[in-house]
Amino acid sequence: MALFFLSLSLCSQNQSDTIRPKVGLVLSGGGAKGLAHIGALKMIEESGVKIDYISGTSMGAIIGGLYASGYTAEQLDSIFNKTNFTKLIRDELPREAKTFYEREESDKYAFTFPFDNFNLTLPTGISKGQNIYNLLAQLTQHVKKEDFSQLDIPFFCIATNIETGQEVILDQGNLAQAISASGAIPTLFRPVEINDQLLTDGGVVNNYPIEQLRLKEMDYIIGVDVQDSLFPRQKLKSGLDIMTQVNNFRTIKAMKTKRQQTDVYIRPNIKNFSVLSFDEGETIINNGLIASLEKYSELKQLAKLQNRPETTRKPIKILDSIYIDGIEIKGNKTYPRNYIRGKLKIESNQKIAYENLNNGLNNLSATGNFNRVTYGIKSQNNKQNLVVEIEENQSKTFLKLAAHYDDLYKSGLLINYTRKSLFLTNDVASLDLILGDNIRYNFEYFIDKGKYWSIGLKSRFNHFEDNVDFDFVQDNSDIGDFDVNQIRLDVDDFTNQLFAETYLFKDFRFGLGLEQNDINASTATIDNDLTNTEEETVIQDSNLLSTYGYLDYDSLDDKFFPTKGVFFSGDFHLYFNDLNNGGINEFSIAKGRVGYVTTPINKVTTRFSSELGFRIGEEEVSSLNFFLGGYGNKTINNFRPFYGYDFFSLSANSYIKWMIEIDYNFYTQNHIILSANYANVQDDILSTGEWFSSPDFSGYALGYGCKTIFGPIDIKYSYSPETGESHWFFSLGYWF
């Protein structure tokens, strides 16, 4: 029927070639299903139809806004096929954007909730949308006009005022910010504030904005609809399915009228996809192409009716750098300009790569002190100023949760209380309480001064118990001889540290500190003193004071399953007193680790690492020996993992270890890992020269690992040819 009317119109227009009808394009919302718009745009370009105005909602706003700014359909296809939507949506900030302190925090907690005034609340969205904004801001930097009607193709999009429920038409301002607001899916993305309005996804009120497009005096409307249909009861299996179905009642009812107002209605097949099916983007784009092909004859008729000369869109050159004359900071109330500039790490009067600019924005976002960081380029008097607008996070108190299981500490539930700006604007206090088989706590107070000397205070209590061979205990203590094979060893560790650290350069920190380390090891299995009225025998009891220094370099892209980078960690402790044993002779312990990670073949990563630790001095404090064995927990003091051997199987006052791993990432976030480690563990290994000899101990492991919202999951089967024994190791959740 539409083709019939188009034909009649074509005949009537032959009398006057100077009157050309205006064609509008409306693109609906639909999340990942909106990628079908790209396929439709390809066919619209192929048909020769010239679009005079574009309106869009949600993903339709993002695709439509970029197309209106000058990108070709082929460019959009290339851009979105290269985009990792998982990282965009989850706001996975690159590890390099975080300080060492922030990395430790993000690698420990599974869930974080605002907890101001001891009132537990949920975040306004799972994702802040920072990564999405960074991408869109770079893609729209060629846009110099704030009036969207002056774009290559005039454009507007729809958002929803979350406070009033009213529809908001966005047709001017920052294009990246506008289309981000239109696509801020409720609960998934936090609302976006524009002109003092708190905005969320436009699909809440108008997911197919055709009426507003008609008001732009369009003669014909092409519409691409990727909204859901109603599902049968067999597919309504969850509360989310029910909520989606209820929301679809309104949009489907509204589409009965909207479809009649659409001259060329394109309906891609999206029934097998959801709003998050970005991993099937190629198929979705192709489905948009197929649906548009079915309307190709109508599109060709419309192109003839327009009777415009054929033109080819020139691809937009995506800028990779920009010259910055000055930097303006807006929106900061609590955090001073120098703090923000220090995190941004961008200097004025120089050319800045967008990669570095995005890293600076991520540095700010990683602090957790800002809900959103946006920017624009203001040109004035032949100068370009970077204008950074921040929205400070009003929440200063947080409750963080995590859970973990491993073979040493067993089960543990972590409850964390974090308070930012406790005494100073840039300080943070954090208390971990770990409940479960082994009760522990960690406290840290940290004053972050960026590239200057930061100051911190740490306190921890660590407890674990395990069955160990009695021979091992005899080798590491002066306990007598008893007719037992194994004992139950209880270890308590109470440590306090005062430290100061600074960054030498990116990913490289240096620190100095004072430490008090109280270690007590005991057992209730045997009684070393028949007159002892206590229920347990003390094997080791020391309370050591020391000064220490450390040097760390870490460019790994992930802590648990890295694919690239280098790391080095060096630590030196000088022990000068034992408060429990009337003093000691001074001695030192030095240790270091170095590693290199690379991915020479797609999905196959190799990791090489080496470790060395040794004692300097004659004082014997067996609790600070190096203990090798086991896997799957956050180690303390001088405990080190070693495949093929159980916990506390190997010990001495010095050791050297090598390891190689091959990691096959066979499916997203899923890994098969083959590991081999070798070591020499012997007293005074440097003086005997044994660190140059062939290894005395070796172990091999085959494991499966995956990343989940609760942290990494690892299952390892290990074997040692020296003992002929095998061990299984399990680790579930973040290490703490």
Side-chain angles (χ1 to χ4, degrees):
M1 183 64 70
L3 179 59
F4 173 74
F5 285 113
L6 285 173
S7 299
L8 289 179
S9 300
L10 178 60
C11 293
S12 65
Q13 290 296 327
N14 284 338
Q15 301 176 7
S16 178
D17 291 337
T18 60
I19 302 176
R20 297 187 177 116
K22 294 182 178 180
V23 178
L25 175 64
V26 57
L27 304 176
S28 80
K33 295 172 292 183
L35 293 174
H37 295 319
I38 297 174
L41 286 169
K42 286 184 178 182
M43 193 53 60
I44 291 172
E45 286 182 350
E46 176 69 23
S47 70
V49 172
K50 308 302 178 185
I51 303 300
D52 295 287
Y53 226 114
I54 298 176
S55 68
T57 294
S58 196
M59 190 55 135
I62 294 173
I63 301 293
L66 293 176
Y67 190 76
S69 75
Y71 287 98
T72 65
E74 197 63 44
Q75 275 189 294
L76 293 178
D77 189 346
S78 177
I79 290 170
F80 283 96
N81 268 318
K82 294 178 181 177
T83 299
N84 187 328
F85 284 96
T86 300
K87 288 187 176 181
L88 285 185
I89 293 172
R90 291 182 180 176
D91 256 350
E92 289 188 9
L93 297 173
R95 198 163 181 263
E96 64 181 10
K98 304 172 185 177
T99 64
F100 278 87
Y101 177 82
E102 290 161 354
R103 292 174 188 179
E104 292 167 1
E105 294 287 292
S106 63
D107 291 334
K108 184 162 58 170
Y109 306 114
F111 304 102
T112 300
F113 304 97
F115 198 52
D116 292 299
N117 300 318
F118 297 95
N119 181 27
L120 182 66
T121 58
L122 296 176
T124 55
I126 297 174
S127 169
K128 293 189 291 186
Q130 187 65 52
N131 285 342
I132 289 179
Y133 176 82
N134 290 354
L135 173 63
L136 295 177
Q138 181 177 357
L139 292 175
T140 57
Q141 273 310 300
H142 63 284
V143 177
K144 304 301 181 183
K145 299 175 181 178
E146 293 192 349
D147 185 349
F148 300 166
S149 68
Q150 296 181 24
L151 295 176
D152 190 60
I153 300 174
F155 166 79
F156 69 85
C157 60
I158 303 297
T160 304
N161 188 316
I162 199 68
E163 294 180 289
T164 66
Q166 297 297 309
E167 174 183 305
V168 177
I169 297 177
L170 299 173
D171 55 8
Q172 59 183 343
N174 182 320
L175 180 59
Q177 193 175 33
I179 58 182
S180 294
S182 182
I185 301 173
T187 70
L188 182 58
F189 296 110
R190 297 180 187 179
V192 178
E193 185 175 342
I194 299 179
N195 297 330
D196 203 32
Q197 297 181 99
L198 201 58
L199 305 179
T200 191
D201 196 299
V204 174
V205 290
N206 190 349
N207 209 31
Y208 190 86
I210 189 172
E211 298 91 345
Q212 295 78 3
L213 190 58
R214 283 286 185 190
L215 295 176
K216 301 297 182 181
E217 299 180 349
M218 295 297 105
D219 299 299
Y220 295 96
I221 300 290
I222 301 172
V224 186
D225 181 11
V226 293
Q227 301 173 92
D228 283 325
S229 301
L230 294 178
F231 297 106
R233 67 177 67 182
Q234 293 82 1
K235 291 190 175 182
L236 301 176
K237 298 180 179 180
S238 69
L240 180 60
D241 292 337
I242 297 297
M243 291 179 62
T244 302
Q245 183 90 329
V246 171
N247 184 64
N248 288 340
F249 291 161
R250 176 189 55 79
T251 58
I252 291 172
K253 181 179 180 180
M255 278 306 299
K256 292 180 180 178
T257 302
K258 293 173 182 284
R259 181 169 181 174
Q260 293 175 357
Q261 298 173 353
T262 308
D263 298 294
V264 181
Y265 181 73
I266 301 173
R267 175 68 171 168
N269 180 5
I270 43 83
K271 64 180 180 180
N272 294 324
F273 308 105
S274 73
V275 295
L276 296 177
S277 298
F278 290 103
D279 56 338
E280 300 180 86
E282 186 175 348
T283 302
I284 297 173
I285 291 174
N286 191 55
N287 283 2
L289 189 68
I290 293 171
S292 302
L293 185 60
E294 296 172 357
K295 301 289 184 177
Y296 188 71
S297 59
E298 296 180 37
L299 293 172
K300 288 295 290 184
Q301 289 277 24
L302 189 52
K304 289 180 181 179
L305 186 60
Q306 287 182 301
N307 192 26
R308 294 183 179 180
E310 290 188 10
T311 58
T312 302
R313 269 189 148 193
K314 294 182 179 180
I316 295 294
K317 182 181 180 181
I318 301 177
L319 302 177
D320 59 6
S321 62
I322 188 171
Y323 190 90
I324 301 297
D325 291 291
I327 299 175
E328 300 179 25
I329 309 294
K330 294 185 177 180
N332 59 311
K333 299 177 182 177
T334 303
Y335 297 94
R337 173 185 170 86
N338 60 350
Y339 172 80
I340 297 171
R341 286 289 303 271
K343 291 292 183 181
L344 197 58
K345 297 180 181 177
I346 292 176
E347 300 298 331
S348 56
N349 296 312
Q350 61 180 268
K351 193 174 185 179
I352 303 296
Y354 270 101
E355 181 181 1
N356 294 335
L357 175 56
N358 288 335
N359 286 341
L361 298 173
N362 288 335
N363 291 341
L364 286 170
S365 183
T367 64
N369 296 327
F370 309 102
N371 288 330
R372 188 178 293 269
V373 183
T374 60
Y375 72 92
I377 303 298
K378 184 173 71 174
S379 299
Q380 189 174 8
N381 299 327
N382 296 322
K383 291 188 176 183
Q384 294 190 125
N385 285 345
L386 174 68
V387 181
V388 179
E389 296 193 34
I390 64 171
E391 179 188 334
E392 293 184 352
N393 188 351
Q394 299 305 311
S395 295
K396 301 299 181 185
T397 308
F398 301 91
L399 183 69
K400 303 180 182 182
L401 304 173
H404 180 79
Y405 175 85
D406 64 65
D407 297 292
L408 179 61
Y409 288 99
K410 308 304 180 182
S411 60
L413 172 65
L414 170 60
I415 302 174
N416 169 271
Y417 177 83
T418 295
R419 179 68 166 88
K420 293 189 174 184
S421 302
L422 181 62
F423 302 114
L424 303 171
T425 300
N426 56 332
D427 72 0
V428 57
S430 174
L431 175 64
D432 291 337
L433 179 61
I434 302 164
L435 306 176
D437 292 291
N438 292 279
I439 296 177
R440 293 164 280 160
Y441 87 80
N442 293 291
F443 171 78
E444 184 165 0
Y445 177 74
F446 188 67
I447 303 173
D448 183 2
K449 293 190 175 183
K451 62 182 179 180
Y452 302 105
W453 282 93
S454 299
I455 301 172
L457 172 68
K458 291 183 179 181
S459 177
R460 77 162 186 243
F461 174 76
N462 196 289
H463 171 81
F464 62 85
E465 53 186 72
D466 195 30
N467 294 322
V468 299
D469 291 338
F470 185 63
D471 291 341
F472 172 84
V473 176
Q474 283 187 306
D475 291 340
N476 288 276
S477 69
D478 56 1
I479 195 170
D481 191 16
F482 291 85
D483 187 19
V484 292
N485 293 322
Q486 283 192 332
I487 65 170
R488 188 69 173 174
L489 182 66
D490 291 341
V491 177
D492 291 333
D493 177 289
F494 178 58
T495 300
N496 297 291
Q497 294 177 326
L498 177 65
F499 65 95
E501 66 180 33
T502 187
Y503 284 84
L504 301 180
F505 53 85
K506 184 181 177 182
D507 297 328
F508 201 171
R509 70 172 175 180
F510 167 68
L512 298 169
L514 296 171
E515 179 182 274
Q516 175 258 326
N517 185 204
D518 188 347
I519 303 176
N520 179 279
S522 61
T523 180
T525 307
I526 58 175
D527 187 356
N528 194 39
D529 183 357
L530 296 179
T531 65
N532 186 12
T533 59
E534 302 292 334
E535 296 183 356
E536 58 185 27
T537 297
V538 175
I539 298 173
Q540 177 73 45
D541 184 20
S542 59
N543 191 356
L544 301 170
L545 299 181
S546 66
T547 61
Y548 67 97
Y550 56 91
L551 193 64
D552 294 321
Y553 177 80
D554 184 353
S555 65
L556 298 181
D557 59 347
D558 187 84
K559 176 180 179 179
F560 302 103
F561 303 103
T563 61
K564 62 180 181 179
V566 175
F567 73 87
F568 169 80
S569 178
D571 180 280
F572 182 84
H573 272 65
L574 172 62
Y575 294 90
F576 57 85
N577 198 3
D578 184 346
L579 300 179
N580 287 356
N581 296 289
I584 56 172
N585 296 318
E586 285 188 2
F587 71 97
S588 302
I589 293 180
K591 54 187 176 181
R593 297 186 299 128
V594 62
Y596 172 69
V597 181
T598 185
T599 304
I601 305 173
N602 185 33
K603 295 187 176 182
V604 178
T605 298
T606 55
R607 306 185 188 114
F608 307 91
S609 64
S610 180
E611 304 178 17
L612 173 67
F614 57 92
R615 178 185 299 167
I616 303 172
E618 299 299 325
E619 186 73 30
E620 290 291 337
V621 182
S622 58
S623 59
L624 291 182
N625 279 350
F626 295 95
F627 301 96
L628 275 67
Y631 171 80
N633 58 281
K634 185 175 182 179
T635 59
I636 62 169
N637 296 332
N638 297 325
F639 296 96
R640 299 302 304 152
F642 193 76
Y643 295 123
Y645 289 80
D646 203 355
F647 297 98
F648 314 113
S649 294
L650 307 172
S651 71
N653 67 19
S654 58
Y655 83 107
I656 186 169
K657 170 187 168 184
W658 310 266
M659 185 167 72
I660 181 172
E661 289 190 314
I662 300 176
D663 180 342
Y664 175 46
N665 183 197
F666 66 93
Y667 188 69
T668 305
Q669 308 289 10
N670 287 263
H671 305 257
I672 295 294
I673 304 173
L674 180 64
S675 308
N677 56 198
Y678 308 92
N680 283 328
V681 184
Q682 181 178 314
D683 286 345
D684 305 318
I685 197 171
L686 294 183
S687 60
T688 62
E690 285 298 315
W691 64 302
F692 279 122
S693 66
S694 59
D696 295 328
F697 306 98
S698 63
Y700 305 88
L702 178 64
Y704 164 78
C706 69
K707 292 184 71 173
T708 72
I709 61 173
F710 301 100
I713 296 176
D714 283 298
I715 302 173
K716 305 278 189 181
Y717 171 78
S718 69
Y719 172 80
S720 172
E722 292 84 36
T723 63
E725 296 180 354
S726 60
H727 298 275
W728 284 93
F729 298 115
F730 297 89
S731 176
L732 310 177
Y734 288 115
W735 300 357
F736 49 76

